[in-house]
PDB file of all heavy atoms in Angstrom:
ATOM      1  N   TRP I 253    -149.835 -21.403 -71.783  1.00 94.00           N
ATOM      2  CA  TRP I 253    -150.810 -22.264 -72.468  1.00 94.00           C
ATOM      3  C   TRP I 253    -150.640 -22.266 -73.950  1.00 94.00           C
ATOM      4  O   TRP I 253    -151.101 -23.209 -74.633  1.00 94.00           O
ATOM      5  CB  TRP I 253    -152.195 -21.824 -72.045  1.00 94.00           C
ATOM      6  CG  TRP I 253    -152.487 -22.169 -70.629  1.00 94.00           C
ATOM      7  CD1 TRP I 253    -152.695 -21.296 -69.580  1.00 94.00           C
ATOM      8  CD2 TRP I 253    -152.546 -23.471 -70.012  1.00 94.00           C
ATOM      9  NE1 TRP I 253    -152.894 -21.961 -68.423  1.00 94.00           N
ATOM     10  CE2 TRP I 253    -152.792 -23.273 -68.633  1.00 94.00           C
ATOM     11  CE3 TRP I 253    -152.378 -24.765 -70.475  1.00 94.00           C
ATOM     12  CZ2 TRP I 253    -152.889 -24.374 -67.742  1.00 94.00           C
ATOM     13  CZ3 TRP I 253    -152.474 -25.807 -69.627  1.00 94.00           C
ATOM     14  CH2 TRP I 253    -152.740 -25.614 -68.264  1.00 94.00           C
ATOM     15  N   SER I 256    -148.795 -25.236 -73.657  1.00 92.00           N
ATOM     16  CA  SER I 256    -149.305 -26.395 -72.967  1.00 92.00           C
ATOM     17  C   SER I 256    -150.648 -26.896 -73.482  1.00 92.00           C
ATOM     18  O   SER I 256    -150.986 -28.039 -73.286  1.00 92.00           O
ATOM     19  CB  SER I 256    -149.425 -26.125 -71.472  1.00 92.00           C
ATOM     20  OG  SER I 256    -148.140 -25.980 -70.997  1.00 92.00           O
ATOM     21  N   HIS I 257    -151.407 -26.020 -74.171  1.00 93.00           N
ATOM     22  CA  HIS I 257    -152.560 -26.631 -74.785  1.00 93.00           C
ATOM     23  C   HIS I 257    -152.134 -27.523 -75.941  1.00 93.00           C
ATOM     24  O   HIS I 257    -152.541 -28.701 -75.970  1.00 93.00           O
ATOM     25  CB  HIS I 257    -153.683 -25.669 -75.184  1.00 93.00           C
ATOM     26  CG  HIS I 257    -154.783 -26.496 -75.738  1.00 93.00           C
ATOM     27  ND1 HIS I 257    -155.652 -27.201 -74.923  1.00 93.00           N
ATOM     28  CD2 HIS I 257    -155.022 -26.923 -76.972  1.00 93.00           C
ATOM     29  CE1 HIS I 257    -156.421 -27.969 -75.671  1.00 93.00           C
ATOM     30  NE2 HIS I 257    -156.065 -27.818 -76.923  1.00 93.00           N
ATOM     31  N   VAL I 260    -151.216 -30.934 -74.975  1.00 92.00           N
ATOM     32  CA  VAL I 260    -152.132 -32.042 -74.684  1.00 92.00           C
ATOM     33  C   VAL I 260    -152.365 -32.827 -75.964  1.00 92.00           C
ATOM     34  O   VAL I 260    -152.667 -34.025 -75.874  1.00 92.00           O
ATOM     35  CB  VAL I 260    -153.451 -31.584 -74.047  1.00 92.00           C
ATOM     36  CG1 VAL I 260    -153.181 -30.700 -72.839  1.00 92.00           C
ATOM     37  CG2 VAL I 260    -154.375 -30.943 -74.987  1.00 92.00           C
ATOM     38  N   VAL I 303    -156.346 -22.462 -79.343  1.00 92.00           N
ATOM     39  CA  VAL I 303    -157.447 -22.499 -78.325  1.00 92.00           C
ATOM     40  C   VAL I 303    -156.945 -22.347 -76.898  1.00 92.00           C
ATOM     41  O   VAL I 303    -157.681 -22.549 -75.983  1.00 92.00           O
ATOM     42  CB  VAL I 303    -158.251 -23.821 -78.486  1.00 92.00           C
ATOM     43  CG1 VAL I 303    -158.740 -23.993 -79.848  1.00 92.00           C
ATOM     44  CG2 VAL I 303    -157.439 -24.975 -78.016  1.00 92.00           C
ATOM     45  N   TRP I 304    -155.669 -21.953 -76.746  1.00 92.00           N
ATOM     46  CA  TRP I 304    -155.088 -22.042 -75.397  1.00 92.00           C
ATOM     47  C   TRP I 304    -155.867 -21.259 -74.354  1.00 92.00           C
ATOM     48  O   TRP I 304    -155.807 -21.595 -73.185  1.00 92.00           O
ATOM     49  CB  TRP I 304    -153.613 -21.572 -75.482  1.00 92.00           C
ATOM     50  CG  TRP I 304    -153.472 -20.106 -75.696  1.00 92.00           C
ATOM     51  CD1 TRP I 304    -153.509 -19.135 -74.724  1.00 92.00           C
ATOM     52  CD2 TRP I 304    -153.254 -19.369 -76.892  1.00 92.00           C
ATOM     53  NE1 TRP I 304    -153.331 -17.889 -75.211  1.00 92.00           N
ATOM     54  CE2 TRP I 304    -153.168 -18.010 -76.560  1.00 92.00           C
ATOM     55  CE3 TRP I 304    -153.118 -19.716 -78.223  1.00 92.00           C
ATOM     56  CZ2 TRP I 304    -152.962 -17.025 -77.522  1.00 92.00           C
ATOM     57  CZ3 TRP I 304    -152.900 -18.740 -79.139  1.00 92.00           C
ATOM     58  CH2 TRP I 304    -152.853 -17.397 -78.827  1.00 92.00           C
ATOM     59  N   HIS I 306    -158.717 -21.219 -73.352  1.00 93.00           N
ATOM     60  CA  HIS I 306    -159.765 -21.845 -72.556  1.00 93.00           C
ATOM     61  C   HIS I 306    -159.321 -22.244 -71.172  1.00 93.00           C
ATOM     62  O   HIS I 306    -160.143 -22.642 -70.359  1.00 93.00           O
ATOM     63  CB  HIS I 306    -160.449 -23.010 -73.297  1.00 93.00           C
ATOM     64  CG  HIS I 306    -159.574 -24.151 -73.561  1.00 93.00           C
ATOM     65  ND1 HIS I 306    -159.744 -24.985 -74.632  1.00 93.00           N
ATOM     66  CD2 HIS I 306    -158.519 -24.689 -72.904  1.00 93.00           C
ATOM     67  CE1 HIS I 306    -158.857 -25.947 -74.633  1.00 93.00           C
ATOM     68  NE2 HIS I 306    -158.097 -25.785 -73.597  1.00 93.00           N
ATOM     69  N   HIS I 307    -158.014 -22.129 -70.923  1.00 94.00           N
ATOM     70  CA  HIS I 307    -157.560 -22.393 -69.548  1.00 94.00           C
ATOM     71  C   HIS I 307    -157.616 -21.115 -68.679  1.00 94.00           C
ATOM     72  O   HIS I 307    -157.298 -21.177 -67.532  1.00 94.00           O
ATOM     73  CB  HIS I 307    -156.120 -22.899 -69.570  1.00 94.00           C
ATOM     74  CG  HIS I 307    -155.956 -24.201 -70.248  1.00 94.00           C
ATOM     75  ND1 HIS I 307    -156.066 -25.396 -69.575  1.00 94.00           N
ATOM     76  CD2 HIS I 307    -155.752 -24.574 -71.502  1.00 94.00           C
ATOM     77  CE1 HIS I 307    -155.917 -26.396 -70.420  1.00 94.00           C
ATOM     78  NE2 HIS I 307    -155.737 -25.906 -71.603  1.00 94.00           N
TER      79      HIS I 307
HETATM   80 CU1   CU A 604    -156.402 -26.935 -73.236  1.00 72.21          CU
END
Side-chain angles (χ1 to χ4, degrees):
Chain I
W253 291 115
S256 293
H257 182 79
V260 309
V303 305
W304 73 83
H306 64 210
H307 296 269

